[in-house]
Amino acid sequence: MRIFTFIIFILQSNFLFAGVSRAPAVVNEQCDLNIATNKILEGSEKTFSSKVTHFVTIRSSDQYGCSTLEKKRYPDTFYEENVKNEMQVLFLKYPEKFSQTCVDHFKKLGLKAFEYSCDQAEIESIYLSNYHCEKNNEEDTQKITYSATAEATVSYKQTGKKYIEKAVDVVQKEQCTRVNECIEQASDKELPELRKLAAVACRVDLVPVNTARAPALEKDTSFDGNRQPKNNDPSNSNKEEQNKTPTESGAVLK
């Protein structure tokens, strides 16, 4: 697995918003370290309700279809089941259409696309009206069939939420947990490299980058640790030897 460099890059970056983390920990025989670096802002969830009109048509393999039924229509549960199935397809195919109310709300707050999300719409209720049993005449075969139609008023809801960036240490802890999960599922061959990853992801000396630090001090490389700096001039070295007092050389003054 070639992911050692990948985790180092993540830990040294500013942890910008990323996709939501995936499960399980091992995906396609590789340790998945795609940890989400943002989280839902607590209390930011908001539910939006909307309505849409949907026409449902129920065709039958029976030539007579709805024409033989009481009131020439199927039970409401039959229409509702078809409406639910068709609306689920439409929610997935046209998410921007059914998310417009939610999106407009967060845009008015000045949020960017990565700072909020709108969940997939969910049906709250279905009201049926305008039932019809239509006669169809197929042009090719001249076969006559009947199909049932109805107008459905669909009330649906959608939940929107804001996101905020996680603290760096929180993301690191989640990465550490993910690596440990990978270690539990790994083969003996993969363990050495995963342990290297764990040493990086699970370290505790994480220091956040501070862009407002004071300028670095210039270091005097001539200073040897004593009170006076070194002097590379040989003549000065001789003068220092001559200036030594007898006391320093061990002589006794008379």
Side-chain angles (χ1 to χ4, degrees):
M1 296 183 296
R2 299 180 179 178
I3 49 178
F4 182 55
T5 305
F6 172 70
I7 189 173
I8 294 178
F9 169 77
I10 291 179
L11 292 176
Q12 290 179 345
S13 68
N14 289 329
F15 295 96
L16 297 176
F17 291 102
V20 178
S21 58
R22 299 188 297 271
V26 175
V27 178
N28 295 328
E29 299 182 356
Q30 289 195 345
C31 186
D32 182 10
L33 298 176
N34 187 22
I35 302 296
T37 57
N38 58 343
K39 64 179 180 179
I40 299 172
L41 176 63
E42 186 176 354
S44 68
E45 292 91 348
K46 184 175 178 61
T47 301
F48 305 89
S49 296
S50 302
K51 290 184 179 181
V52 63
T53 299
H54 178 72
F55 293 92
V56 59
T57 299
I58 303 175
R59 294 179 174 84
S60 175
S61 58
D62 181 3
Q63 178 180 354
Y64 299 101
C66 55
S67 64
T68 61
L69 299 175
E70 184 181 358
K71 297 183 180 180
K72 297 187 183 299
R73 75 186 201 194
Y74 294 102
D76 283 357
T77 54
F78 199 53
Y79 292 95
E80 290 172 358
E81 189 63 30
N82 281 268
V83 171
K84 288 178 182 177
N85 292 336
E86 292 174 11
M87 289 304 301
Q88 288 300 323
V89 173
L90 293 174
F91 287 156
L92 289 171
K93 190 173 182 180
Y94 306 105
E96 66 285 346
K97 174 182 177 181
F98 298 100
S99 300
Q100 197 61 53
T101 303
C102 176
V103 170
D104 288 345
H105 169 78
F106 288 110
K107 280 186 175 181
K108 287 179 180 178
L109 297 178
L111 299 180
K112 298 179 181 178
F114 60 84
E115 295 178 313
Y116 68 90
S117 71
C118 299
D119 295 342
Q120 183 177 322
E122 297 179 359
I123 294 176
E124 287 188 298
S125 64
I126 299 173
Y127 174 74
L128 297 168
S129 62
N130 297 329
Y131 300 91
H132 292 286
C133 185
E134 299 180 346
K135 183 178 180 180
N136 308 307
N137 190 352
E138 298 181 3
E139 294 181 0
D140 296 337
T141 62
Q142 298 302 313
K143 182 180 178 180
I144 296 176
T145 60
Y146 292 87
S147 58
T149 64
E151 180 179 336
T153 301
V154 181
S155 298
Y156 65 94
K157 65 179 180 179
Q158 187 174 45
T159 301
K161 59 200 72 173
K162 297 180 186 178
Y163 286 93
I164 56 172
E165 192 173 358
K166 294 179 184 176
V168 174
D169 59 335
V170 172
V171 177
Q172 186 187 21
K173 288 178 182 178
E174 292 180 1
Q175 284 187 323
C176 176
T177 300
R178 179 61 58 84
V179 174
N180 287 330
E181 291 174 353
C182 291
I183 290 176
E184 292 178 359
Q185 304 175 49
S187 63
D188 292 340
K189 183 180 179 181
E190 297 169 323
L191 284 176
E193 187 168 357
L194 284 171
R195 284 173 179 151
K196 291 179 182 178
L197 289 173
V200 176
C202 301
R203 67 182 189 181
V204 296
D205 58 342
L206 184 67
V207 179
V209 177
N210 186 350
T211 58
R213 297 176 64 183
L217 296 175
E218 293 185 6
K219 184 178 179 181
D220 184 2
T221 56
S222 68
F223 185 62
D224 63 357
N226 297 320
R227 280 192 165 278
Q228 295 190 13
K230 293 179 182 179
N231 195 322
N232 296 327
D233 189 348
S235 61
N236 289 339
S237 179
N238 293 334
K239 290 178 182 179
E240 290 176 3
E241 291 294 331
Q242 294 174 3
N243 291 336
K244 284 185 178 181
T245 61
T247 304
E248 291 175 332
S249 62
V252 178
L253 295 175
K254 292 183 180 181

